[in-house]
Amino acid sequence: SGPSGALSDTGFSDLSEVTDGNALDLYVTLGRLEERALLELPQLRTGEGLPPETALVTMVLVEFLHFDITSSEPASGLRPRYDSLLSFGPFELSDAVLEHLATGSIRLELQAFASSVSASYLLGRANLPLATLLECSQQASNPTFGGTLAFASSHDARLQIATVDYKARWRRPILESVQAYTQRHGFAPGKAPHSPKPA
């Protein structure tokens, strides 16, 4: 499901102010994994039915803009509670960044490993379109918004392997930057008019 309306800002309380530019804070909370995730991990395949849930440990990896990939805390079982705050910043809201926010995505991966083995295994992938974060921010000064991310299986993108709940918030309101962009260009970020094709 997509982002919902006003949410509590639980999880964002200890953040410092950014003095230059902005930052994006992503709070990854509760995961729900399909039972077949237990069978996807090569190290857990015993041939004797399903391995115990506690044998499966997962973490969420997040990629945003040019920042290093960041990971949640690891959590075990089919209902992992990550409760991890991932922050990206500071960055300037340049025209190029605003255009990326209008058209790009945050890329996420769900990595799994057996509790007894260090090698990780890619369970699934998800994308969070940044346009949602841009649009929500134009309806209130700096809302906290969130929803549920659906992770497609790395084996078969048509199959959902897991969902993870999230909340997100800009460290500082971005409405003024979006409005300034629109005044400069005559259109909102990512809404450039298409030039007519020559006849």
Side-chain angles (χ1 to χ4, degrees):
S1 66
S4 47
L7 296 167
S8 80
D9 57 4
T10 305
F12 296 110
S13 56
D14 297 330
L15 294 169
S16 61
E17 289 297 314
V18 283
T19 50
D20 293 319
N22 210 329
L24 176 66
D25 300 307
L26 184 67
Y27 189 47
V28 180
T29 56
L30 182 66
R32 287 171 294 280
L33 277 63
E34 299 293 332
E35 203 172 43
R36 68 174 174 277
L38 291 168
L39 299 173
E40 298 236 351
L41 208 61
Q43 301 97 314
L44 293 182
R45 286 194 201 123
T46 60
E48 300 172 8
L50 284 175
E53 283 184 34
T54 51
L56 180 68
V57 178
T58 54
M59 62 172 55
V60 180
L61 272 58
V62 184
E63 186 180 351
F64 173 67
L65 287 177
H66 54 275
F67 296 103
D68 290 341
I69 293 173
T70 307
S71 71
S72 72
E73 293 294 323
S76 66
L78 294 178
R79 296 288 178 272
R81 183 164 276 290
Y82 302 109
D83 286 341
S84 299
L85 180 62
L86 311 176
S87 294
F88 301 90
F91 53 86
E92 290 301 320
L93 284 169
S94 64
D95 283 4
V97 168
L98 284 166
E99 286 157 13
H100 176 73
L101 297 182
T103 58
S105 296
I106 297 174
R107 288 180 293 281
L108 303 100
E109 289 187 352
L110 189 63
Q111 292 278 348
F113 45 98
S115 51
S116 57
V117 184
S118 59
S120 66
Y121 177 83
L122 175 63
L123 262 188
R125 292 186 176 92
N127 283 306
L128 173 56
L130 286 160
T132 5
L133 283 65
L134 206 56
E135 287 161 14
C136 290
S137 302
Q138 296 176 49
Q139 294 154 16
S141 65
N142 200 25
T144 297
F145 41 91
T148 302
L149 296 159
F151 283 79
S153 168
S154 58
H155 279 314
D156 185 345
R158 295 168 301 178
L159 294 176
Q160 180 177 296
I161 194 73
T163 60
V164 174
D165 294 339
Y166 76 93
K167 292 193 289 188
R169 193 170 77 173
W170 302 108
R171 194 79 55 89
R172 296 169 69 180
I174 64 169
L175 186 55
E176 282 184 22
S177 299
V178 173
Q179 289 171 337
Y181 177 103
T182 304
Q183 285 173 348
R184 280 195 306 276
H185 297 280
F187 51 83
K191 307 285 188 198
H194 296 291
S195 51
K197 291 179 181 170

